[in-house]
Each structure stands twice: as C-alpha cells, then as structure tokens.
Amino acid sequence: MPYLIIEHLEELREWVLLEYRHASEWWKERLIFTNVEEHEREELAKFGGVIPQSVTEFPFDRSKLIILDPLAEEELKPEDIGEDTLIVVGGILGDIEFTGKTKKFITEKIEGAKARHIGSVQFSIDGSAIVAKLIADGKRLDEIEYVEHPTIRLDEFSEITLHYAVPKVDGKPLFTPGLIELQKRELGFEDDVSDEELDAFFSGEGEL
C-alpha cells in the first residue's frame, strides 16, 4: 500500500485538525505530515508520522512521488500507484476557485515527480486524501461520486453551503467529522442570536 504525504502549509487551527484527523482515519499508519514546525509536532503525531522538512527537500527517488495538483494535465489512475508510491497532498485550505498554490509551493519545486489531478472540482484536504485512497484501492476517477457545494443544515432555520466538493461512498457524503459543530460555534450558535440576525447573515446582509 502506498503512503500519503500531507505537506503542511497552513496555520494549525481547529478546521485543519479536523481535516487531518479525517484523513488519518483513511490512511492510518500510512499518513505522513511534512513541513511541520517544532511546536506542531506533538499534535500532528496523533494522526500520523511527522517530518520537519518539506517534501520538496527530500533527497530520495522523486520518481516515486505523485503530487495531487489541480492544474496537472493527467488524472490520477490506479495503475499510477505502486506499493512504494508516495502520494503528496497540499495541506492547503482551498479558496472558492483554484489559485495554483499546489503548483507554486510543491509541484514546481520537485523536479522529476509526477503530477496528477483528481478532477475539475475542488476537494478539501481530507476529501483529496479519501479520493486518493479510493483510487489507490482500484477505483477510477469517473467511478467516484461526489456532491459539489453541499448545503448543511445547522438547525431548522439556518444552513451553510460549503464551497468545495465532498466525496461520496455508497451514496453518502463523507463530511469532515466535527465540521458542523465547529461551524455552529464559529457562527455563534452558543450565544443568543436572533432568527433575524441569522437570516441577515445567511443572505449576506449582516454579520454575527
């Protein structure tokens, strides 16, 4: 079975940790975090191996690396992946549109590595890890279902839309565990917020 490398490129805040934890549930001991600062190592070691150096600095056979880059020309296929393959995912929280961060911070810095995409939609970090695992297990990209821009209901009155795609297994979207609870806290659902304030927030006409 191949390894998954997450090149850590974000501040280690709760949303990122939730995505990393979910990725670790799929890759288990085959998950490695790179580019990790000293004060982050203990926390990330709960979910996988930890290496302080960037993957761009590794002095090994780079032909074994496959970088998941949305701007790559070829899609990731099962036959691309061998037992000693290292699949690299950028630990980058996405924007509404592709911005080329993976290419800038990883792909262009690793000569000799392969670059592959996993479709025209944007996945979260854990979503990318799941899609990579499904392909490593033999599925082809066009066989993997997903829901794009899913809407999550927070309560009977309020909902949010995620600006990325979520992979599905057996018809069920694989949302990041704990994401809904985090969104509720960040939106102040533990405070006394009126229905009018929530309605204004979700319609883009006010702030909480």
Side-chain angles (χ1 to χ4, degrees), residues 125-177:
I125 300 167
D126 55 329
S128 298
I130 291 169
V131 172
K133 181 66 166 60
L134 293 172
I135 295 174
D137 288 343
K139 279 190 174 293
R140 298 201 170 270
L141 189 58
D142 61 6
E143 297 175 324
I144 298 173
E145 295 182 281
Y146 61 86
V147 54
E148 191 172 6
H149 305 311
T151 295
I152 299 175
R153 182 162 293 281
L154 300 176
D155 63 15
E156 61 180 314
F157 304 109
S158 310
E159 62 188 24
I160 60 168
T161 298
L162 302 177
H163 295 290
Y164 53 83
V166 175
K168 298 168 68 175
V169 171
D170 297 327
K172 181 180 178 181
L174 298 172
F175 292 109
T176 308

